[in-house]
């Protein structure tokens, strides 16, 4: 099973690293100071879209619930 994750709209990211700290397997701090999907999980190289193994669901969901601007979307 694969989990679809988006950082959308990524421009709204505050760069507070909350998702990076809660779920470092999936979210990284990128060069512009905002969060991106870790390279190995990106969809067609898109830094804001990922397909993640289902065993990372709980960490992705905790990041989504903790994002202060609510831009981490899990499907
Ligand atoms: S928790 Fe939200 S605002 Fe904070 S770094 Fe992650 S995507 Fe950006």
């Amino acid at each position: 099973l694969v989990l679809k994750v988006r950082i959308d709209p990524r421009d709204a990211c505050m760069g507070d690293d909350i998702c990076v700290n809660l779920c470092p397997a999936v979210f990284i701090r990128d060069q512009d100071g905002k969060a991106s999907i870790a390279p190995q999980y990106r969809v067609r190289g898109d830094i804001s879209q990922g397909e993640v193994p289902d065993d990372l669901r709980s960490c992705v969901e905790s990041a989504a619930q903790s994002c202060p601007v609510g831009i981490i979307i899990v499907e």
Side-chain angles (χ1 to χ4, degrees):
L1 274 170
V2 166
L3 205 58
K4 293 188 174 178
V5 186
R6 304 197 315 273
I7 307 170
D8 186 19
R10 183 175 177 276
D11 282 350
C13 174
M14 299 173 67
D16 55 26
D17 285 345
I18 290 174
C19 59
V20 176
N21 289 320
L22 284 171
C23 195
V26 176
F27 301 98
I28 62 162
R29 182 181 180 86
D30 216 328
Q31 292 168 350
D32 60 0
K34 298 178 186 286
S36 290
I37 302 294
Q40 66 267 39
Y41 298 131
R42 290 175 190 168
V43 177
R44 293 182 295 277
D46 186 335
I47 60 174
S48 66
Q49 281 192 60
E51 289 182 347
V52 174
D54 195 62
D55 59 359
L56 290 168
R57 178 183 289 274
S58 65
C59 98
V60 169
E61 287 184 342
S62 72
Q65 285 161 12
S66 301
C67 175
V69 286
I71 58 172
I72 299 175
I73 314 297
V74 187
E75 292 171 343

